[in-house]
Amino acid sequence: MSPTEWIRDLRLALRLLAKNPGATALAVLSIALGIGLTTGLFAVGDAALLRPLPVEKPQDLWWVTSRGDDGNFMMYGWPDYLDMAKALEGRAQLVASQRRGVEVGSDDNSQLVIIQPASPNYFQVVGVRAALGRASLGEAAGRPETVLGYRLWQTRFSSDPHIVGKTVLLNHKAFLVTA
């Protein structure tokens, strides 16, 4: 196909598209949605299946869940975690965590965020390092400790490098920031 034939065909196509703007908009929207959905699915698949977890030894991590007789997942309580950790002592380390929503800040300046309370050995077992401070959970100076996630640190605390050692309110309870 010569360049002049190609230009002639392109002009014809553009004229036909201009004659039917509704059909053109629908076609463009369908193609855009298809490309966006495909890109999103491949991005999730790439992150979940092809890239290793950002931890020291991903091959040593296991996800433990249980299902009841009805097939639904069962939640473990803290006493269950302590019993399982004691039973595994010397053979493996067990980590507990749970996602939940909490209010960060005081009443007049609060924000609902998703947090992940975890057992004190969480960062040691997973092998995640803190960008600032230290990644540890427990108690210091009579207050429970918390580690801020990177995105929360950026958005809520404006990437303040001096946040380590300060107190933040989670559901109106004071926590000491360790990282």
Side-chain angles (χ1 to χ4, degrees):
M1 181 180 259
S2 70
T4 54
E5 290 175 334
W6 187 82
I7 291 173
R8 187 173 25 127
D9 288 348
L10 181 63
R11 283 184 186 160
L12 176 64
L14 290 174
R15 262 187 273 139
L16 289 173
L17 290 174
K19 278 185 178 179
N20 299 311
T24 301
L26 185 62
V28 169
L29 181 64
S30 297
I31 291 170
L33 286 173
I35 290 172
L37 182 61
T38 303
T39 303
L41 288 173
F42 275 106
V44 168
D46 176 53
L49 303 174
L50 301 177
R51 296 188 192 272
L53 290 173
V55 297
E56 285 181 354
K57 298 177 185 175
Q59 70 277 7
D60 291 346
L61 295 179
W62 293 82
W63 184 273
V64 179
T65 61
S66 292
R67 289 183 188 246
D69 293 337
D70 59 359
N72 291 325
F73 285 104
M74 293 174 29
M75 298 283 291
Y76 292 111
W78 188 251
D80 297 322
Y81 162 75
L82 293 175
D83 288 344
M84 288 185 274
K86 186 175 181 182
L88 289 172
E89 200 169 319
R91 292 178 293 195
Q93 290 191 55
L94 188 65
V95 172
S97 69
Q98 177 190 24
R99 292 175 54 95
R100 68 170 66 152
V102 298
E103 196 175 285
V104 176
S106 59
D107 287 333
D108 56 338
N109 187 20
S110 65
Q111 174 184 8
L112 185 65
V113 297
I114 302 297
I115 66 165
Q116 188 167 338
S119 55
N121 64 338
Y122 183 85
F123 293 105
Q124 173 197 354
V125 172
V126 176
V128 175
R129 306 283 180 247
L132 293 173
R134 57 189 171 80
S136 71
L137 298 169
E139 280 200 18
R143 287 182 296 194
E145 295 176 316
T146 188
V147 175
L148 299 178
Y150 189 76
R151 191 178 319 153
L152 180 64
W153 174 63
Q154 284 183 316
T155 57
R156 176 72 184 187
F157 300 100
S158 305
S159 302
D160 179 10
H162 305 293
I163 191 73
V164 176
K166 292 185 180 175
T167 300
V168 296
L169 294 176
L170 301 176
N171 280 349
H172 308 290
K173 185 175 179 185
F175 284 77
L176 183 68
V177 177
T178 63

